Amino acid sequence: MEITASSRGNFTALQLRGRMDLNSSSQLKECIKDYLSEGKANIIMDLSGVNFVNSSGLGTLVSILKDVRMVKGRMVLCNLAQYVQEVFEITQLSHIFEIYPTAEEAAASFADSVVNAG
Amino acid sequence: MAEVIRIRVPGDAVYLKWVHTLTAAILVRLPLSGQKKHHLLVAMSEGFTNAFLHGNQQEPGYSVTLMYEIDSDSVQITVQDEGMLPIDSNIDHLIKPVHGSEESGRGLGLIREMTDEVSITHEPEQGNILTMKTYFNRQCGKGKAMNEEEAYGNYSQFPR
């Protein structure tokens, strides 16, 4: 899995590319662990480049979401391909994760949270 | 008469992508919607993962046998591990409610939702056998129908 990161405002945007399964699990967890240890706990995961996700990939995301929430951070997903979105819906995880149709809307949600906090 | 493709694969995570590619290459010429092909790819991925992870308990040297049976109206995929521990063959007993915060336990549920028929048996001295069947003309039970390009993405380049 390819992971490209960029820091913007009060969040870190991660662009993921490839398959999300058992083989990409540890790489993704380690990556997030590094960000959390640096105090970067607001994360947008752009899944537009993810062409396949199975239950192992979902489990990885659930694990990461728990880690992020443990440090009072926030993680949102965006740009899910239709067939990836369907897997989230079948497993009911679409109710657990914050999912936005576009990266812009995901970014705006962090801006809103700053305004609301202020 | 069914066309049968049978292959034995080392039970290891490094073969996950290979199994995916093989399955995609077999499915691409079948009269299935893009959504159904994607469902079978997910189901196969779950079946293969369960086979080497839980069935074979990741024992080195253990393999997983895959069988694709293509009939005039359906495709049946069988995943057989070498696990010696008997399991409950009632799939409803094996699928437990998974709560949002749990990291595992969604695989069999996905298989059940993404195929038309599924069964699990245990053969003494042989292992666990997961059988998944999808009919070409049966409507998908979940989600809305996707077109082939949306659902099948990068796999449409395989020869038909």
Side-chain angles (χ1 to χ4, degrees), chain A residues 19 23 54-55 66 83 86, chain B residues 13 20 35 45-46 101 150:
Chain A
R19 292 168 55 85
N23 290 322
N54 67 5
S55 67
K66 283 199 286 189
Y83 46 92
E86 187 193 24
Chain B
H20 184 104
Q35 186 184 28
S45 162
E46 302 296 345
S101 61
E150 286 170 336

Side-chain angles (χ1 to χ4, degrees), chain B residues 109-151:
Chain B
L110 271 175
I111 291 173
R112 189 173 61 177
E113 293 298 316
M114 294 190 152
T115 59
D116 292 328
E117 293 172 10
V118 58
S119 67
I120 297 179
T121 55
H122 178 82
E123 297 293 332
E125 309 299 320
Q126 286 187 44
N128 305 302
I129 303 168
L130 168 72
T131 304
M132 305 172 284
K133 190 168 188 173
T134 288
Y135 292 91
F136 299 148
N137 293 322
R138 200 176 282 183
Q139 288 291 318
C140 289
K142 292 276 179 182
K144 64 177 184 180
M146 293 179 252
N147 68 42
E148 179 139 343
E149 192 179 358
E150 286 170 336

Side-chain angles (χ1 to χ4, degrees), chain B:
Chain B
M1 191 177 149
E3 177 186 345
V4 180
I5 300 162
R6 194 166 185 268
I7 191 158
R8 201 164 165 216
V9 185
D12 194 297
V14 297
Y15 287 92
L16 260 172
K17 194 174 177 183
W18 189 89
V19 167
H20 184 104
T21 305
L22 171 74
T23 306
I26 290 170
L27 295 181
V28 75
R29 65 190 173 86
L30 302 183
L32 286 163
S33 68
Q35 186 184 28
K36 280 200 162 194
K37 284 174 185 167
H38 182 256
H39 284 182
L40 279 171
L41 288 172
V42 173
M44 182 52 141
S45 162
E46 302 296 345
F48 184 68
T49 302
N50 279 345
F52 70 78
L53 214 57
H54 305 302
N56 289 351
Q57 299 281 307
Q58 300 188 76
E59 284 287 338
Y62 278 34
S63 60
V64 177
T65 301
L66 314 174
M67 188 159 73
Y68 305 80
E69 294 175 79
I70 301 159
D71 226 318
S72 59
D73 66 341
S74 62
V75 56
Q76 179 169 291
I77 303 177
T78 307
V79 182
Q80 180 172 351
D81 61 45
E82 296 185 300
M84 291 302 131
L85 292 173
I87 57 163
D88 191 336
S89 61
N90 185 330
I91 195 161
D92 290 327
H93 294 170
L94 292 170
I95 299 174
K96 299 177 177 66
V98 179
H99 301 289
S101 61
E102 290 180 46
E103 292 165 29
S104 61
R106 296 181 176 86
L108 274 177
L110 271 175
I111 291 173
R112 189 173 61 177
E113 293 298 316
M114 294 190 152
T115 59
D116 292 328
E117 293 172 10
V118 58
S119 67
I120 297 179
T121 55
H122 178 82
E123 297 293 332
E125 309 299 320
Q126 286 187 44
N128 305 302
I129 303 168
L130 168 72
T131 304
M132 305 172 284
K133 190 168 188 173
T134 288
Y135 292 91
F136 299 148
N137 293 322
R138 200 176 282 183
Q139 288 291 318
C140 289
K142 292 276 179 182
K144 64 177 184 180
M146 293 179 252
N147 68 42
E148 179 139 343
E149 192 179 358
E150 286 170 336
Y152 213 42
N154 296 336
Y155 302 99
S156 54
Q157 79 271 27
F158 279 98
R160 289 176 184 271

Side-chain angles (χ1 to χ4, degrees), chain A residues 61-72:
Chain A
L61 289 175
V62 169
S63 169
I64 290 170
L65 183 65
K66 283 199 286 189
D67 290 345
V68 168
R69 287 184 176 171
M70 195 82 82
V71 296
K72 308 288 182 205

